[in-house]
Amino acid sequence: MDNNNLEQITFGGGCFWCVESCFNMLKGVQSAISGYSGGHKDNPTYQEVCTGETGHAEVVQITYDPSVISYEQLMDVFFFLHDPTQLNRQGNDIGTQYRSVIYYKDDAEKAKAEEAIKVSQESGRWAGTYVTELTKFDKFWPAEQYHQGYYNENPTQPYCSAVVGPKIQKFKKHFGEMGMLNAE
């Protein structure tokens, strides 16, 4: 990858363990880092974010090479990995920290995000109205080290085996067939 042309995108689609592990498998993604954005507290901890009182969402910040994978392809993956019609939750994970949110850096990126929401909603992938927030990016706080690559390190942990694992298998089948995954 050409490090001079890398771009970043930050978004939340529920539990970051599910989202981060999938994005790290994609061709063109240099890194996907779990963290927190959108709140009012500097350097929040996982325990603080879980209370819902910091205003932060669990997010993933992706650094990618747009000559290998496009913004639109990343958005397609984003909308594949979570249900954007669920307000402040994903399945049994409930709270504002699990909201569907895209953080944009400028008006051009906001317009691309609006178009991605429209395209995904019109695809009929998810029944219902999308509740994905569009929010101006402010700060990203990396999550504690033990959250980085959590699924890879803890595949037999009950939540990982019941929720994350099946989601990853579905993701690998779909995007593997499209040739978008790095070789294992």
Side-chain angles (χ1 to χ4, degrees):
M1 274 189 266
D2 180 358
N3 288 338
N4 294 325
N5 294 320
L6 296 178
E7 294 185 21
Q8 284 188 325
I9 183 169
T10 304
F11 43 61
C15 173
F16 49 35
W17 295 345
C18 298
V19 178
E20 175 256 348
S21 57
C22 292
F23 277 97
N24 274 317
M25 294 180 209
L26 291 169
K27 291 178 183 174
V29 171
Q30 183 188 57
S31 67
I33 299 171
S34 294
Y36 316 108
S37 282
H40 53 79
K41 183 176 189 318
D42 289 350
N43 295 305
T45 66
Y46 181 68
Q47 289 74 23
E48 291 169 332
V49 171
C50 285
T51 68
E53 294 177 13
T54 68
H56 290 286
E58 285 191 17
V59 299
V60 176
Q61 186 168 77
I62 297 161
T63 302
Y64 69 100
D65 183 341
S67 71
V68 179
I69 189 167
S70 69
Y71 180 92
E72 291 75 16
Q73 287 172 308
L74 292 170
M75 285 289 107
D76 187 44
V77 173
F78 171 67
F79 288 118
F80 182 89
L81 290 175
H82 81 292
D83 182 346
T85 69
Q86 293 188 349
L87 182 62
N88 297 327
R89 71 178 301 157
Q90 284 299 299
N92 291 328
D93 294 330
I94 299 171
T96 58
Q97 68 270 28
Y98 300 114
R99 66 189 177 268
S100 176
V101 58
I102 301 169
Y103 293 95
Y104 63 89
K105 293 193 172 70
D106 55 33
D107 288 341
E109 194 170 271
K110 181 180 182 185
K112 289 188 339 186
E114 289 170 338
E115 181 63 18
I117 291 169
K118 179 181 171 203
V119 167
S120 183
Q121 190 157 347
E122 288 175 354
S123 77
R125 179 182 285 159
W126 299 101
T129 303
Y130 281 32
V131 294
T132 303
E133 293 177 14
L134 282 176
T135 303
K136 179 91 167 125
F137 178 81
D138 184 25
K139 292 182 181 167
F140 171 78
W141 305 100
E144 296 81 350
Q145 189 56 42
Y146 73 91
H147 288 296
Q148 310 306 328
Y150 189 86
Y151 175 79
N152 292 340
E153 298 297 321
N154 303 280
T156 61
Q157 188 262 12
Y159 182 87
C160 288
S161 60
V163 177
V164 184
K167 187 177 284 196
I168 289 173
Q169 293 310 311
K170 182 178 164 187
F171 162 83
K172 287 169 85 172
K173 180 178 182 343
H174 181 77
F175 290 98
E177 289 172 358
M178 296 173 68
M180 291 177 62
L181 303 183
N182 290 315
E184 289 190 46

